[in-house]
Amino acid sequence: MIQLGETQIDLSDPLTMLALVGVAAVVLLLILVMRSIAAANRTARAMEPLAQQMGALGNRVQSLSDGQHQLSGGITHVSELQARSQAQMLEVMERRLEEVQRSMGETLHGTSTRTARSLGELQQRLEQIDKAQAKIEKLSGDVLGLQDILSNKQTRGAFGEIQLNDIVHKALPPDSYAFQATLSNGRRADCLIHLPKPPGPIVIDSKFPLEPYEALRRAKTQRDTDEAARALRTAVRGHIKAISERYILEGETADGALMFLPSEAVYAELHANFPELVREGFAARVWIVSPTTCMATLNTMRAVLKDARMREQAGAIRKQLAMLHRDVELVVERVGKLTTHFGQARKDLDDITTAAERAGKRATRLDSFDFEELGGKDEAEVVPLPHR
């Protein structure tokens, strides 16, 4: 039970409870309506600035719409311009591409032509190289053949003799030398130069020992070099002694002989690194010569031979000079007589000229009939001609 003033309410009665619940619901609904009206009023007051903002926003949206229409028109215009520019650019690019293709075609054609020409020239060069290679191979074979020749003592001696023979033939007259001449001691000289006394015939030997020099050139170590140098000194000293004993004969040959080296390299090696051997040769009167110095020596011998032959012919030359002097005297005498004859002929010509002038004067007088003047001067003007 609930006491409300003087009225008591029985809560256990269902109808009462239902009535109370209905009343509470009506009261609650009224409260909610009143609150809703209050909220609506507040919302209306709050929506007024929002409405204003929505109006401004509508205006801006309209402005944006107008701007969008304008932008759409501008974009269309720009698209059209871009399309035209692209078309023009494509046209230009096509023309450039055609020009590039044409230029590339011409360049490729020219390049192919030059390449073909270069290949032709290269082919010719290769053919020349092949020919040169063949010549080099042949020359290599010749060099190997020459090495074989020089490695054999007998063939090396023959090679030196042939080289000496060629030099002597070029430097001296044929009757001034002899090859393989036999001396009084039975020795055979490679070449004997017939020089007059003094100094007398001189021998040239061409059999130089090249084995020690080849060993010196092939030496790799200091020991091998020293051994080859000792062997070269021994060989050259022995050869100098042999030439001095065999080919320098008192009363028969000159007091010296020539040792011919068939190689300028050996000659340079001796003078550069073995000067004592050269001095020993000088002391033994054995002169060491190379192809070049041998040619110079033979030219000096040629001058000596020429001078000797001129001395041998000195008597005949003097006799010929005397006869030439007599002929000159006769010529001078005859020139004098001829001068006399020319003088007499000149005088005769002068007399003839005088007589001709006188005859002309007489012809002039006869033409003018001046006989008295002509008769009075005839005897005085007559000049007798000389008798020869």
Side-chain angles (χ1 to χ4, degrees):
M1 296 292 288
I2 296 174
Q3 185 70 35
L4 293 176
E6 294 179 357
T7 302
Q8 292 182 353
I9 299 175
D10 188 7
L11 296 176
S12 61
D13 187 7
L15 293 175
T16 302
M17 288 298 296
L18 182 62
L20 289 175
V21 171
V23 171
V26 170
V27 172
L28 182 61
L29 180 61
L30 290 175
I31 293 170
L32 289 175
V33 169
M34 291 177 67
R35 288 184 178 180
S36 298
I37 293 170
N41 291 329
R42 289 195 299 270
T43 303
R45 288 194 298 270
M47 287 295 293
E48 290 179 359
L50 182 61
Q52 294 177 358
Q53 292 178 0
M54 288 296 293
L57 183 60
N59 295 331
R60 291 184 180 181
V61 170
Q62 184 65 33
S63 299
L64 288 175
S65 177
D66 296 339
Q68 185 177 4
H69 286 295
Q70 294 177 0
L71 181 61
S72 176
I75 290 173
T76 303
H77 181 67
V78 169
S79 299
E80 293 176 356
L81 292 177
Q82 186 175 4
R84 287 197 298 270
S85 298
Q86 288 179 354
Q88 294 176 358
M89 185 177 295
L90 288 175
E91 185 179 357
V92 172
M93 290 295 293
E94 290 177 356
R95 287 201 303 269
R96 296 290 179 83
L97 183 60
E98 291 178 357
E99 293 176 358
V100 170
Q101 289 178 350
R102 183 171 60 255
S103 177
M104 287 290 293
E106 295 175 355
T107 304
L108 289 175
H109 179 71
T111 303
S112 61
T113 303
R114 289 192 296 270
T115 303
R117 184 167 60 249
S118 300
L119 289 175
E121 294 177 356
L122 181 60
Q123 182 67 26
Q124 295 177 359
R125 297 286 180 84
L126 291 175
E127 292 177 357
Q128 294 177 358
I129 291 173
D130 292 337
K131 293 179 181 178
Q133 183 68 26
K135 292 181 180 179
I136 290 174
E137 293 177 357
K138 183 177 181 299
L139 182 60
S140 300
D142 295 340
V143 170
L144 293 176
L146 179 61
Q147 186 175 2
D148 295 338
I149 290 173
L150 295 179
S151 63
N152 187 299
K153 186 174 182 180
Q154 293 181 350
T155 55
R156 185 177 64 247
F159 174 74
E161 291 178 6
I162 292 172
Q163 191 175 9
L164 178 62
N165 191 326
D166 183 63
I167 294 174
V168 172
H169 272 87
K170 291 179 180 179
L172 298 177
D175 58 347
S176 61
Y177 57 86
F179 288 97
Q180 301 300 321
T182 304
L183 303 179
S184 61
N185 60 358
R187 298 292 183 179
R188 190 180 294 275
D190 294 330
C191 181
L192 181 65
I193 308 299
H194 302 303
L195 292 177
K197 295 182 180 182
I202 187 169
V203 174
I204 304 177
D205 182 84
S206 62
K207 292 182 289 293
F208 180 78
L210 284 176
E211 293 87 351
Y213 172 75
E214 294 293 337
L216 179 63
R217 192 178 63 177
R218 292 192 302 267
K220 301 297 183 181
T221 64
Q222 186 62 38
R223 181 180 178 181
D224 295 340
T225 302
D226 295 339
E227 291 180 357
R230 284 195 296 270
L232 181 62
R233 287 189 179 92
T234 302
V236 173
R237 286 193 178 101
H239 195 54
I240 290 174
K241 183 179 179 182
I243 292 174
S244 177
E245 293 175 353
R246 295 175 183 177
Y247 303 129
I248 300 177
L249 304 178
E250 185 176 358
E252 182 179 354
T253 65
D255 59 351
L258 298 180
M259 183 173 68
F260 177 73
L261 305 181
S263 173
E264 297 286 348
V266 180
Y267 181 82
E269 180 70 23
L270 291 180
H271 280 77
N273 300 320
F274 302 91
E276 70 279 5
L277 297 179
V278 179
R279 288 194 294 270
E280 291 178 11
F282 288 161
R285 295 187 179 276
V286 176
W287 322 116
I288 302 175
V289 294
S290 66
T292 302
T293 56
C294 183
M295 177 65 74
T297 304
L298 293 178
N299 284 327
T300 304
M301 293 180 182
R302 182 174 182 176
V304 172
L305 290 171
K306 184 177 180 181
D307 183 68
R309 290 180 180 179
M310 289 184 65
R311 287 199 303 270
E312 291 175 0
Q313 300 296 328
I317 292 174
R318 283 195 296 271
K319 183 177 180 181
Q320 293 295 326
L321 287 175
M323 295 175 64
L324 180 61
H325 185 266
R326 177 56 185 165
D327 292 338
V328 171
E329 289 180 348
L330 291 175
V331 170
V332 171
E333 181 181 352
R334 290 174 181 174
V335 167
K337 291 181 180 179
L338 185 60
T339 301
T340 302
H341 289 309
F342 277 134
Q344 186 62 44
R346 188 179 300 107
K347 187 175 180 303
D348 292 342
L349 288 173
D350 293 339
D351 293 341
I352 291 172
T353 301
T354 303
E357 292 177 354
R358 191 167 49 248
K361 292 179 182 179
R362 285 195 178 118
T364 301
R365 295 192 188 103
L366 288 173
D367 186 55
S368 60
F369 299 99
D370 191 1
F371 297 105
E372 294 181 357
E373 184 178 355
L374 182 62
K377 296 182 179 181
D378 284 343
E379 295 179 359
E381 293 178 354
V382 174
V383 178
L385 294 173
H387 295 284
R388 297 183 182 177

